Amino acid sequence: MIVIAGRGGQELSRAQRELVTVARRLAGDLGSQVAYLAVGPEAEAAARRAGAFGIGRAVAIELNDASGAVEPIIENLAQGARRLGASVVLLAADHLGVQAGPRLAARLGGSALNDAVDVRVEDGRVIWTRPVFGGKALADVVLRRSPAVVTVRSGAFEAAEEGAGEAAVDVLEAVAVDTAVRVVQREEGRQEGPRLEEARVVVSGGRGLGGPEGFQRLAELAELLGGAVGASLAAVDEGWAPPEWQVGQTGKMVAPDVYFAVGISGASQHLAGISGAKAVVAINKNPDAPIFKVARLGVVMEYEKLLPALIEAVKRELA
Amino acid sequence: MGLHVAVLIKQVLDPEVPAARFQIDASGKRPAAGIAGEVLGPYERNALEVALQLKDAGAAEKVSVITADGQEAVESLRKALAVRADQAVLVDTSGHDDLDPAQTAEILARAVEKLGGVDLVVAGRQAGDWDHGQVGYLVAERLGWPCVSLVQRAELDGGVLRLTRQGPDGREVVEARPPLVVTVTNDERNVLRLPRVQDLMASRRQPITQWSPADLGLDAAALADLAGGEVLRLRIPERESQCEFISGDDPAEVAATLVRRLKELKLL
Amino acid sequence: MTWTLAQAASEATREVQWNTVPAMIWLMYLSAAAALAVCCYGFWRRLRIWRLGKPEIRWDQPWRRLKLVFRAALLQANLFRDRIAGFMHISMYFSFMLLLVGTMVVAIHHDLGIPIMRGYFYLYFQSLVLDLAGVWFCVGLIIALWRRYVIRVPRLEHGNPVDGLILAAFFVIVASGYPVEGIRLVVTGDIWALWSPFGYLTGLALASIWDEPTLLVIHRVMWVAHMLSWHVLLAAVPFTKLAHLVTSPLNIFFANLEARSIPDPVNFEDEQAVAVLGIRTPFEMTWKQLMDLDACTECGLCQSQCPAYAEGKPLSPKRVILDLRDHIRANADRYLAAGRARAAGQQDVFEQIMAEMPPLAPDVIKAETLWACTTCRACENICPVEIEHVPLILQLRQNLAMEQAQMPEGVAEAVQGLEVRQHPIRGATTGRTDWYRDLPVRVMAEVEDPEEIEILYWVGCAAAYDERLQRIARALVRVMNRAGVRFAVLGDEEQCTGDVARRTGNEFHYDMLARANIETLQRYKVKRIVAHCPHCLQTLGSDYRQLGGFFEVVHHTQFVQELIDSGRLQLPASLKEKITYHDPCYLGRYNGVFDEPRAVLDRLGVERVEMTRAGRRSFCCGAGGGHAFFEDHAGGKINRNRVEEAVATGAGTICTACPFCLQMMEDGLRSVGAAEQVAVKDFVELVDEALAAAEAQQEPAAL
Ligand SMILES: Cc1cc2nc3c(=O)[nH]c(=O)nc-3n(C[C@H](O)[C@H](O)[C@H](O)COP(=O)(O)OP(=O)(O)OC[C@H]3O[C@@H](n4cnc5c(N)ncnc54)[C@H](O)[C@@H]3O)c2cc1C
Ligand code: SF4
Ligand code: SF4
């Protein structure tokens, strides 16, 4: 049984729908079934929704734990996975996945793997691919124990389309976990967004922005994409961006999936900070700017024209 | 009585090795020797700093660092001593190559037990080479202790640890009682301090506690049996360095194409 | 008649204590004795402070040293470094010296009873010359007052209010001297009155107002005022900036005759030596460094040249010297007590006293101040009394960096890079040897007979790892190959010279790298090295000597000049560009190379234009002292300042001879928006271009 694990809710998130793709592929190759496991508030709603993705079986564990600790979630995920007889448990490699994956594996007596970006079945063996050494290499890995608890990097797989269907949902009682851990304070909302070094998307601006207003545009785009805003030294020097935003030799080293370089020429000192980026998108009015040498996608246009259109396009995409 | 904090560290291949220089050895399973030096892993540096701050604040009485690795890792243990960790333990695993996270976690958990009296285990969120992100969590499971992940800062307040951590939407503060395992992520406040040169020099003379897996009751067969998985091969991803220009004069059209291409390339 | 007059002239003299009463004379001797005692006491206190410092030999080559003092003190040679101030100083200095000699003549004549104050000597010197000297002094005084209080020259700001009192005392001396002399001339009807024209005029003027009894009273009052103000000044010498009358010549005598601007090495094997790293308290300074503080004339020339100061950064080299001096003076009693305890072997008492004293850095000299220095040497170059700011700043940095583990993040990153990668370049995208993959370059380890290699090319980290700067190395390789130079590189065996580490106070890391490199170079029996990087040039050629590494190192500008001179390289005069040359600090001020690059550029046929600040007075690009590795956000940008000057020459190309300068200039041009119009090239890129162009022209001709 391939189990997709999630936290419940009215909708399946994009990351969850990507897990559906992985699960379908595996189930096809291994000749097994896909099940859905939801642990959290509104677990049952999510479990029912899973039916629309062709998933026939689901377990919902309604968990409303006030402590904020991850322990009860893990313990109930384990309960659900056991109930479903999981051979593979798929989690999104997000905030929960990062902390729950390995521990769930340990509780189920299985093996863990993080950040899968690909999977295939060869001679009945499941071969997982994950980036290692900061993405400088990819490792093909087989896991020895069952279940395999795997977190999947978002964006690595297509998100499955929703169809129609019904899932048989088992609703289980949550097991209570007495934990010594308690969240006592929470910063509301995502005012700061992710930190530069960790962000999967970084939108950086340079001197080409011509003033602090440009950065508001960048912030808007970054927020839409769940990313962080960066800056070139020139922009920091101009006082349009705080020093903590500086990327490069004397600033931060970033390693996002996408790095937008807007009005940045691409001096080597700046490039020094973005060598870990998977892809650079350069937006510059000068077609000869060196930034295009390292860019995956390039647009030669004044940013004032492109950015509003880009923000609209992204909004449409997200909607 | 202050806490006894054990920091789990790892010496890793220099993460700054340029991608163009990265090569794989003949076995096809590891990076080639000599492409770069080795350093104390970046998140382990943050972990060590979190522990040292507890010591600065008088909350911790002793900071021990533990690693499971070959003799070359003494270098990183000394770095930890140079910033005033109190004790350094090397579980010498030479001869047991390519330990996977499950094996490493078992060794480290036993080392923590053997050390005795440890109240808090601090590990990096992931090692900067294989990026597994498992060891700290597995140690917690193995010890049966609760685990708080992605911690940035720790303070002790009347026997209760107040941990500032990266929550799902911004920072949160968690309270927990030892014994406890925490995994650490980086933050502007946990950048590892620099050693004073006098301490650096003194660290060269300090003793390193050396254990073998056998000292921890693990023979080769038992250790091998713990492995959770196996790396079949490493490969170097192809990097497209060609810039694809998106042409056109209409911003809306160009923007739409850009978004589409980003999606096609699985970047968004 | 002529004869009698001549005879009379040969007898000419004057009564010394005219119109005085014994009480006045007693007062004079008493106050003179007291003033002298205070003066000696003051210097003794200074001396005791200097003696707290560590030993250092600064008295070898005494004749050479005396010559320096002579040039500086008697010829005031160092003062031509600023014209108007120089004239002011020369006026006051020489006239003051003359008047002092005059006073001594009176003492010899009267008190010792050796009658020298007579005849033509009396007339020409004692009367005429001194009379004029007084006026000359006034001229200097007026300029000084004008500069300080009217136009308020910035480098004199933060002056001590006492400085004004000194000028006032001088004024009293001059203003009382002329009436004293004049009244005597008029009242006694001195026949030699005309030999003292200004004094006589003063006397006549006074006599036209008052009658004789009044004049006699005025004379007595003025006499006492003149005498007392003199003695007050004398007593004040060691406590005010006048101390430099004594300390400046001393300081010049004890000047550093060796390699300048580098700190003494630290012996890390020696436990005593590493108990305190760098300078934490005055006890880690050498006696000469302590003397430097007292020798400062507060002229502010250093500050006027300092690039960091010019850009509003929190550093003035003058303030560094004076703040340390003031701190030590204010706490002299405690430091002296600590010194006594140490001398008596009471280490615990010493430590107890010192425990209360703050570390000089960052308590007396702020960390931001120390980090702002680019080690450009402009301050030392201009200082008229040979004060050495740079080693002092570096040793204070040493204490911050090594003992307190405090340094800017970029510096820390660079140093960690040195530790694990043997180079300081963050985020390098290539390996050390990738840049010459496609070029004919030999690696020392693969050369069979090292003797056959005439010169080792030291590439340096900047050009090895930075794509733009690799072009410099590639150009030099091409030029050397054209000239048939048998050269080799160390390849992967080359490690950073340690320049960044040393200039940021990370002497420990410098020491490790330097020793490793010396070992490698000695293993290959390298005698001669060429470097395109002035920082490598300085470190390999001068700093390494302190650690026993003696190599002949030339800069590529010198080497190319040599190749031309020996006929191995023929340069076409084909570059018709307008070019301005920027002197890198570590090439010019540090290593005295100013002419070679210019001579070669001229040979290339360029139209060479100079910036206002060129040669010895060149203005730093802002990269030195570790600044290539961290961002100093306080104040403005040094490279911008420099680039504006370069652009103002109208040159189409800025020629540099240092990879870091090149980076700074390119960055500066971008920031002033002139990157499209003005290019930045290294010296050897221009040479290579010209050679390549000439070859391209010849080839079709050959076909
Ligand atoms: C020792 C050292 C360390 C350094 N460290 C760093 C560092 O850590 N980080 C860093 O970023 N820099 C660093 N620099 C500075 C670096 O050399 C560059 O100067 C800097 O990165 C340039 O910033 P920029 O690209 O924003 O500005 P510029 O180079 O001026 O580029 C502006 C770009 O914007 C484009 N543009 C202009 N108007 C528009 C428009 N309307 N729409 C679109 N594009 C437009 C232009 O075509 C140009 O390409 C360092 C420099 C040195 C010497
Ligand atoms: S060396 Fe240069 S930057 Fe440093 S104090 Fe002297 S003049 Fe200023
Ligand atoms: S240090 Fe030298 S240049 Fe600077 S104020 Fe003192 S005497 Fe003048």
Side-chain angles (χ1 to χ4, degrees):
Chain A
M1 185 69 76
I2 317 287
V3 175
I4 298 167
R7 290 235 49 203
Q10 295 295 332
E11 300 277 339
L12 258 59
S13 67
R14 192 192 148 83
Q16 296 275 301
R17 290 187 279 131
E18 289 171 9
L19 297 183
V20 173
T21 305
V22 181
R24 280 181 188 162
R25 189 189 292 180
L26 275 175
D29 289 349
L30 296 170
S32 47
Q33 302 285 306
V34 179
Y36 192 86
L37 166 62
V39 172
E42 295 184 285
E44 200 180 334
R48 299 216 174 279
R49 192 84 186 199
F53 291 86
I55 296 172
R57 218 180 137 200
V59 166
I61 303 176
E62 214 52 56
L63 177 73
N64 289 299
D65 177 66
S67 76
V70 74
E71 246 81 20
I73 304 175
I74 295 173
E75 193 47 45
N76 283 294
L77 283 172
Q79 187 205 164
R82 279 193 209 103
R83 163 67 73 98
L84 286 164
S87 59
V88 174
V89 180
L90 299 173
L91 289 154
D94 56 11
H95 188 260
L96 174 67
V98 163
Q99 31 181 347
R103 300 180 68 191
L104 186 57
R107 288 184 193 195
L108 296 172
S111 292
L113 181 132
N114 281 331
D115 283 322
V117 292
D118 202 1
V119 62
R120 65 185 187 280
V121 179
E122 256 174 38
D123 310 326
R125 286 198 304 181
V126 181
I127 300 176
W128 298 96
T129 300
R130 57 185 302 267
V132 290
F133 296 92
K136 288 176 192 123
L138 293 172
D140 287 342
V141 181
V142 284
L143 297 179
R144 285 184 56 198
R145 290 172 211 285
S146 181
V149 180
V150 174
T151 67
V152 176
R153 192 172 269 194
S154 72
F157 296 85
E158 283 290 310
E161 295 297 328
E162 189 162 353
E166 280 287 315
V169 180
D170 289 351
V171 181
L172 302 186
E173 193 63 25
V175 286
V177 177
D178 184 24
T179 169
V181 177
R182 176 159 273 85
V183 175
V184 293
Q185 194 181 313
R186 235 184 211 138
E187 253 171 41
E188 287 304 319
R190 186 192 284 276
Q191 282 135 343
E192 300 178 37
R195 294 172 333 98
L196 254 181
E197 298 99 312
E198 272 162 14
R200 307 261 41 106
V201 175
V202 173
V203 186
S204 272
R207 186 156 25 225
L209 295 199
E213 311 76 35
F215 275 92
Q216 282 163 16
R217 275 278 134 82
L218 299 193
E220 216 175 308
L221 180 60
E223 201 183 312
L224 284 173
L225 297 171
V229 184
S232 77
L233 179 140
V236 170
D237 275 355
E238 298 285 359
W240 306 336
E244 321 64 280
W245 289 7
Q246 186 182 317
V247 172
Q249 183 175 317
T250 49
K252 298 237 159 68
M253 303 289 201
V254 299
D257 293 340
V258 197
Y259 184 82
F260 288 89
V262 186
I264 290 178
S265 63
S268 72
Q269 294 86 1
H270 186 80
L271 300 185
I274 62 172
S275 56
K278 254 206 216 152
V280 173
V281 177
I283 300 168
N284 198 300
K285 67 174 184 186
N286 173 9
D288 295 325
I291 189 73
F292 289 120
K293 290 219 182 73
V294 299
R296 180 69 189 80
L297 296 172
V299 179
V300 181
M301 189 178 279
E302 270 155 21
Y303 90 94
E304 294 93 326
K305 289 198 206 140
L306 184 67
L307 265 207
L310 187 56
I311 289 169
E312 284 314 308
V314 170
K315 274 190 188 150
R316 259 201 313 278
E317 178 61 30
L318 293 176
Chain B
M1 274 293 284
L3 303 174
H4 181 181
V5 183
V7 185
L8 311 181
I9 66 169
K10 182 166 193 211
Q11 180 163 309
V12 301
L13 181 78
D14 184 358
E16 275 196 36
V17 55
R21 278 227 137 187
F22 193 90
Q23 283 160 18
I24 294 163
D25 80 350
S27 76
K29 297 186 177 185
R30 304 171 202 104
I35 53 171
E38 296 195 330
V39 300
L40 175 55
Y43 292 112
E44 285 76 38
R45 297 171 67 86
N46 305 124
L48 185 54
E49 179 62 29
V50 167
L52 292 170
Q53 284 175 8
L54 281 171
K55 195 179 159 195
D56 290 346
E61 184 173 279
K62 183 173 178 188
V63 173
S64 302
V65 285
I66 315 176
T67 191
D69 205 338
Q71 285 299 326
E72 64 280 0
V74 164
E75 191 68 22
S76 289
L77 291 172
R78 293 214 186 282
K79 290 228 166 86
L81 292 173
V83 284
R84 301 203 158 187
D86 301 283
Q87 185 187 7
V89 180
L90 172 70
V91 183
D92 188 344
T93 56
S94 340
H96 311 274
D97 288 339
D98 304 329
L99 292 177
D100 93 332
Q103 295 168 305
T104 311
E106 179 67 28
I107 296 172
L108 292 173
R110 286 176 184 237
V112 168
E113 285 169 345
K114 185 173 165 83
L115 212 51
V118 173
D119 307 287
L120 176 66
V121 171
V122 186
R125 62 180 290 184
Q126 71 192 63
D129 46 7
W130 289 91
D131 297 329
H132 280 302
Q134 297 189 30
V135 170
Y137 303 103
L138 295 181
V139 168
E141 290 300 308
R142 170 57 184 66
L143 293 171
W145 294 359
C147 176
V148 179
S149 56
L150 307 181
V151 167
Q152 293 152 334
R153 227 148 50 98
E155 289 154 315
L156 188 69
D157 186 358
V160 176
L161 278 160
R162 279 178 69 85
L163 306 160
T164 307
R165 72 184 287 263
Q166 189 184 310
D169 317 287
R171 286 210 176 114
E172 60 188 31
V173 179
V174 170
E175 283 185 354
R177 285 185 182 277
L180 186 73
V181 175
V182 302
T183 68
V184 173
T185 191
N186 66 317
D187 173 78
E188 66 271 20
R189 287 169 303 181
N190 65 21
V191 176
L192 181 61
R193 64 198 58 195
L194 298 164
R196 300 169 67 243
V197 164
Q198 281 105 332
D199 292 337
L200 199 66
M201 292 168 66
S203 74
R204 291 177 173 174
R205 296 186 296 269
Q206 270 160 274
I208 305 279
T209 307
Q210 298 249 6
W211 293 334
S212 68
D215 293 335
L216 302 173
L218 280 169
D219 60 25
L223 195 54
D225 194 46
L226 286 166
E230 186 195 346
V231 175
L232 298 180
R233 76 190 75 85
L234 281 189
R235 50 203 161 89
I236 293 180
E238 276 165 39
R239 283 190 172 252
E240 286 210 43
S241 57
Q242 199 64 37
C243 178
E244 177 187 325
F245 282 96
I246 295 169
S247 52
D249 288 330
D250 175 19
E253 205 175 291
V254 171
T257 318
L258 179 57
V259 171
R260 201 192 67 235
R261 287 299 292 140
L262 282 169
K263 269 180 58 199
E264 283 165 5
L265 294 166
K266 301 190 176 161
L267 293 169
L268 278 191
Chain C
M1 177 67 193
T2 330
W3 184 84
T4 29
L5 195 60
Q7 195 182 37
S10 70
E11 296 294 318
T13 186
R14 68 171 168 92
E15 189 187 338
V16 170
Q17 287 163 357
W18 177 79
N19 186 36
T20 56
V21 293
M24 284 162 71
I25 303 298
W26 279 114
L27 179 65
M28 177 180 84
Y29 285 122
L30 264 176
S31 75
L36 208 61
V38 172
C39 179
C40 289
Y41 170 74
F43 278 114
W44 182 65
R45 270 184 78 95
R46 297 271 73 73
L47 186 72
R48 283 200 308 169
I49 293 278
W50 303 341
R51 289 182 42 159
L52 295 179
K54 296 200 292 194
E56 183 177 16
I57 292 173
R58 285 292 183 86
W59 45 78
D60 54 322
Q61 311 185 52
W63 290 112
R64 194 166 149 210
R65 293 178 178 283
L66 277 175
K67 258 201 310 215
L68 284 179
V69 175
F70 179 80
R71 267 172 46 84
L74 292 187
L75 305 181
Q76 300 271 295
N78 296 353
L79 285 162
F80 287 103
R81 293 169 184 182
D82 176 335
R83 289 253 166 96
I84 297 182
F87 178 72
M88 179 277 291
H89 193 268
I90 284 172
S91 304
M92 292 183 68
Y93 175 78
F94 278 121
S95 53
F96 180 82
M97 283 299 152
L98 288 171
L99 292 165
L100 197 68
V101 171
T103 310
M104 275 170 356
V105 167
V106 175
I108 293 170
H109 178 90
H110 182 79
D111 300 324
L112 299 183
I114 305 169
I116 54 170
M117 193 180 73
R118 44 195 289 246
Y120 287 104
F121 175 73
Y122 169 71
L123 293 179
Y124 281 102
F125 181 77
Q126 202 71 5
S127 302
L128 184 60
V129 169
L130 294 192
D131 190 79
L132 296 176
V135 173
W136 196 17
F137 190 88
C138 285
V139 171
L141 197 58
I142 287 164
I143 299 175
L145 290 167
W146 177 263
R147 284 167 53 79
R148 183 173 295 267
Y149 296 109
V150 181
I151 52 175
R152 294 175 178 273
V153 174
R155 66 181 169 92
L156 298 175
E157 74 199 79
H158 317 294
N160 196 322
V162 174
D163 298 349
L165 290 182
I166 296 175
L167 292 179
F170 274 127
F171 181 77
V172 172
I173 293 175
V174 183
S176 57
Y178 281 108
V180 167
E181 182 180 46
I183 291 171
R184 180 183 59 76
L185 294 174
V186 173
V187 174
T188 61
D190 193 323
I191 56 166
W192 307 111
L194 281 172
W195 288 88
S196 306
F198 287 95
Y200 190 44
L201 275 177
T202 313
L204 289 178
L206 292 175
S208 70
I209 304 173
W210 287 293
D211 57 3
E212 193 171 312
T214 320
L215 285 181
L216 288 178
V217 175
I218 293 175
H219 176 266
R220 284 192 183 159
V221 172
M222 288 292 166
W223 190 92
V224 171
H226 188 71
M227 180 269 294
L228 280 182
S229 50
W230 251 121
H231 293 167
V232 166
L233 264 188
L234 176 63
V237 165
F239 306 99
T240 60
K241 66 192 290 180
L242 287 179
H244 82 274
L245 282 167
V246 175
T247 50
S248 296
L250 271 182
N251 215 53
I252 292 167
F253 181 83
F254 292 120
N256 190 348
L257 305 178
E258 308 293 318
R260 304 283 310 255
S261 310
I262 55 180
D264 287 337
V266 177
N267 180 0
F268 288 96
E269 304 294 309
D270 176 2
E271 287 203 13
Q272 283 271 297
V274 299
V276 179
L277 291 166
I279 292 174
R280 184 172 67 198
T281 71
F283 289 96
E284 286 83 51
M285 295 170 71
T286 68
W287 63 267
K288 178 57 178 48
Q289 283 177 316
L290 289 166
M291 185 189 248
D292 269 3
L293 307 183
D294 280 319
C296 176
T297 65
E298 305 182 30
C299 69
L301 281 169
C302 51
Q303 173 182 305
S304 74
Q305 301 293 305
C306 175
Y309 186 84
E311 281 303 316
K313 298 183 186 293
L315 164 67
S316 148
K318 165 179 152 178
R319 285 292 358 141
V320 169
I321 298 293
L322 297 181
D323 289 348
L324 286 173
R325 183 198 70 184
D326 293 347
H327 164 81
I328 294 175
R329 282 196 187 169
N331 296 283
D333 290 336
R334 278 197 271 182
Y335 285 129
L336 288 171
R340 275 194 301 276
R342 196 185 48 168
Q346 298 161 307
Q347 190 62 24
D348 49 333
V349 179
F350 173 76
E351 269 159 27
Q352 199 186 330
I353 300 174
M354 292 310 290
E356 287 169 24
M357 303 307 296
L360 295 179
D363 285 52
V364 179
I365 308 295
K366 290 211 202 69
E368 308 87 84
T369 300
L370 293 169
W371 292 115
C373 174
T374 68
T375 69
C376 73
R377 277 212 73 211
C379 48
E380 292 189 3
N381 178 59
I382 198 107
C383 177
V385 296
E386 310 281 328
I387 286 170
E388 291 172 87
H389 311 71
V390 178
L392 183 65
I393 289 176
L394 290 185
Q395 285 171 315
L396 287 163
R397 276 187 184 180
Q398 283 178 5
N399 193 258
L400 277 181
M402 292 195 288
E403 197 167 299
Q404 306 178 44
Q406 277 185 38
M407 61 191 96
E409 202 183 315
V411 173
E413 299 272 358
V415 171
Q416 275 163 24
L418 292 176
E419 213 172 282
V420 293
R421 298 180 271 274
Q422 291 78 46
H423 73 77
I425 316 288
R426 281 178 76 188
T429 49
T430 66
R432 191 181 280 281
T433 57
D434 292 339
W435 66 270
Y436 60 75
R437 283 247 169 92
D438 55 338
L439 288 176
V441 171
R442 290 202 286 171
V443 182
M444 213 57 188
E446 289 159 16
V447 172
E448 283 187 13
D449 176 16
E451 295 287 315
E452 169 229 350
I453 296 299
E454 60 180 295
I455 200 156
L456 178 94
Y457 174 26
W458 188 278
V459 183
C461 305
Y465 292 102
D466 185 289
E467 272 183 57
R468 164 67 187 90
L469 304 176
Q470 285 173 355
R471 301 217 300 261
I472 303 176
R474 296 172 64 88
L476 180 53
V477 163
R478 280 194 296 265
V479 169
M480 287 198 289
N481 279 332
R482 281 198 193 90
V485 176
R486 294 181 310 279
F487 71 94
V489 299
L490 284 178
D492 277 320
E493 282 187 281
E494 188 182 301
Q495 304 193 7
C496 175
T497 58
D499 172 75
V500 211
R502 186 154 227 222
R503 317 295 164 207
T504 55
N506 288 288
E507 188 78 3
F508 184 72
H509 289 88
Y510 160 73
D511 190 78
M512 282 196 303
L513 293 165
R515 285 180 198 282
N517 283 324
I518 291 173
E519 197 270 323
T520 309
L521 291 169
Q522 285 173 345
R523 183 153 40 83
Y524 289 119
K525 304 201 166 46
V526 171
K527 306 247 156 36
R528 200 148 193 258
I529 301 173
V530 58
H532 65 252
C533 173
H535 295 264
C536 296
L537 169 76
Q538 165 67 25
T539 316
L540 294 168
S542 303
D543 293 44
Y544 280 11
R545 285 174 180 262
Q546 295 177 321
L547 299 176
F550 296 89
F551 310 103
E552 187 201 339
V553 191
V554 290
H555 189 244
H556 72 334
T557 55
Q558 297 170 292
F559 192 56
V560 166
Q561 169 83 61
E562 209 179 278
L563 293 175
I564 296 169
D565 289 347
S566 60
R568 294 171 77 181
L569 200 61
Q570 266 93 39
L571 287 195
S574 58
L575 274 189
K576 299 289 170 230
E577 297 171 43
K578 191 165 171 184
I579 289 181
T580 187
Y581 173 72
H582 162 79
D583 288 276
C585 304
Y586 277 70
L587 185 61
R589 273 191 295 269
Y590 273 79
N591 284 286
V593 178
F594 301 104
D595 301 336
E596 289 90 335
R598 291 183 166 81
V600 174
L601 286 180
D602 290 349
R603 247 174 211 270
L604 288 173
V606 309
E607 183 194 338
R608 187 161 57 78
V609 283
E610 290 287 356
M611 289 181 260
T612 334
R613 298 172 293 190
R616 251 179 214 294
R617 293 276 189 104
S618 172
F619 190 77
C620 181
C621 72
H627 283 254
F629 299 92
F630 69 99
E631 218 40 62
D632 179 0
H633 290 286
K637 304 209 73 179
I638 293 171
N639 60 345
R640 201 167 168 147
N641 183 323
R642 183 55 165 172
V643 158
E644 276 163 2
E645 184 178 4
V647 170
T649 62
T653 302
I654 304 172
C655 172
T656 66
C658 169
F660 296 103
C661 292
L662 187 139
Q663 279 193 324
M664 283 295 176
M665 295 292 138
E666 284 195 340
D667 180 60
L669 282 174
R670 281 193 292 264
S671 77
V672 300
E676 309 288 310
Q677 303 88 286
V678 183
V680 188
K681 291 197 181 125
D682 186 80
F683 161 87
V684 78
E685 292 183 299
L686 291 170
V687 172
D688 178 52
E689 255 172 45
L691 287 169
E695 272 163 22
Q697 276 205 326
Q698 262 170 10
E699 257 157 44
L703 281 176

